[in-house]
């Protein structure tokens, strides 16, 4: 899998070298390239923004540098197997199912906007050639798409086969956040007693059936409390 980032802050992506993602890179499972969008500007100030047509506050990212970056990285031919991710608070909510879909693709280009956003024609141009995903991390506004692109990257890359050592931990997780669509139950480790707080007895009972039932009940209770929107009518 090859990941490209178009951004005016390529240093944001230096963190990809560490942890799980760094391992995936050294193992040759993913290749990452962060590009400074200003490379495709031609004026003395390396301008990437301009005032919004129609007036209003803030600045909008000019289409020209994006177009030239696309030409160089992707050419101009249509190819729906190329995925373009545009993080934006106006996007569709980014969820685990989307991460799973993206973990199977060969090429993703992240377009990280700043200011009031990217000229709409850039996204329309990309959508006419490649597969565009406008994704939102949640109902809040970040200063730009970089942090969102990093979050999407981590969610996607850890699902690439071979990146996580123990596929069982993925299976377990998809049980609690995927198929069942519930929040994860609380977890504990030793010591059994810590600062007057004990691990629930059932987890030390060795009774697998009771443990599974307890975990399910905890998941349902937590989901009811924090995310009732995820519960079906029977729970
Ligand atoms: N860019 C700015 N805010 C964002 C958000 N909430 N999600 C994705 N990209 C963003």
């Amino acid at each position: 899998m090859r990941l490209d980032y178009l951004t005016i802050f390529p240093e944001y992506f230096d963190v990809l070298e560490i942890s799980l993602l760094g391992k995936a890179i050294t193992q040759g499972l993913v290749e990452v390239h962060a590009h400074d969008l200003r490379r495709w500007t031609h004026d003395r100030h390396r301008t990437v923004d301009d005032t919004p047509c129609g007036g209003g506050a803030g600045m909008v990212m000019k289409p020209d540098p994006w177009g030239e970056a696309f030409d160089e990285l992707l050419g101009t031919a249509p190819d729906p197997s190329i995925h373009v991710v545009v993080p934006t608070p106006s996007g569709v909510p980014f969820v685990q199912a989307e991460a799973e879909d993206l973990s199977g693709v060969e090429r993703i280009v992240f377009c990280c906007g700043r200011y009031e956003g990217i000229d709409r024609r850039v996204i329309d141009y990309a959508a006419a050639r490649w597969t565009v995903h406008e994704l939102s991390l949640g109902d809040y506004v970040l200063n730009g798409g970089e942090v969102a692109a990093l979050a999407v990257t981590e969610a996607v890359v850890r699902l690439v086969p071979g990146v996580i050592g123990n596929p069982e931990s993925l299976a377990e997780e998809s049980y609690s956040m995927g198929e069942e669509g519930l929040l994860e139950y609380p977890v504990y480790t030793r010591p059994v007693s810590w600062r007057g707080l004990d691990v629930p007895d059932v987890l030390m009972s060795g009774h697998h059936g009771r443990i599974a039932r307890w975990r399910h009940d905890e998941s349902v209770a937590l989901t009811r409390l924090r995310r009732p929107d995820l519960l079906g009518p029977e729970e």
Side-chain angles (χ1 to χ4, degrees):
M1 171 185 281
R2 174 175 167 156
L3 307 173
D4 290 271
Y5 303 87
L6 287 168
T7 170
I8 57 167
F9 295 117
E11 319 81 50
Y12 260 100
F13 300 93
D14 291 349
V15 297
L16 292 174
E17 304 289 325
I18 56 178
S19 185
L20 191 72
L21 298 173
K23 221 175 98 194
I25 295 166
T26 42
Q27 286 175 327
L29 295 168
V30 295
E31 200 185 304
V32 302
H33 302 272
H35 310 272
D36 186 348
L37 190 68
R38 294 192 200 274
R39 207 179 111 201
W40 293 281
T41 59
H42 304 288
D43 63 311
R44 205 154 56 86
H45 300 289
R46 309 181 83 198
T47 313
V48 291
D49 60 341
D50 203 343
T51 53
C53 294
M59 298 293 270
V60 174
M61 294 192 96
K62 294 154 63 68
D64 319 67
W66 294 97
E68 289 189 33
F70 287 156
D71 292 347
E72 186 173 327
L73 294 179
L74 302 175
T76 54
D79 180 353
S81 78
I82 294 172
H83 293 255
V84 174
V85 169
V86 186
T88 162
S90 334
V92 298
F94 177 60
V95 294
Q96 189 67 12
E98 178 81 22
E100 280 163 18
D101 289 349
L102 287 172
S103 72
V105 315
E106 271 308 310
R107 187 87 194 265
I108 307 176
V109 179
F110 290 89
C111 298
C112 303
R114 284 266 147 180
Y115 317 112
E116 295 305 306
I118 305 170
D119 186 304
R120 184 67 219 173
R121 291 168 294 178
V122 172
I123 291 106
D124 294 343
Y125 178 90
R129 287 160 184 78
W130 312 299
T131 305
V132 169
H133 310 252
E134 291 180 77
L135 301 177
S136 169
L137 232 51
D139 294 336
Y140 43 82
V141 179
L142 304 168
N143 276 340
E146 285 79 6
V147 166
L150 283 170
V152 171
T153 299
E154 184 154 314
V156 168
V157 170
R158 60 193 293 283
L159 299 176
V160 170
V163 171
I164 283 208
N166 176 12
E168 247 180 53
S169 57
L170 287 181
E172 182 91 354
E173 185 183 85
S174 79
Y175 169 79
S176 52
M177 256 315 293
E179 279 163 63
E180 284 265 313
L182 300 175
L183 301 185
E184 186 87 71
Y185 47 79
V187 295
Y188 301 84
T189 186
R190 272 161 288 275
V192 172
S193 195
W194 176 77
R195 300 192 179 194
L197 302 169
D198 293 344
V199 173
D201 287 339
V202 60
L203 297 179
M204 307 309 292
S205 69
H207 195 298
H208 298 301
R210 279 179 49 211
I211 292 171
R213 202 166 333 114
W214 181 86
R215 286 177 167 166
H216 175 77
D217 291 348
E218 288 289 319
S219 280
V220 172
L222 195 62
T223 308
R224 182 170 296 127
L225 188 68
R226 294 188 183 162
R227 294 294 307 277
D229 57 300
L230 296 177
L231 287 176
E234 75 282 0
E235 274 168 325

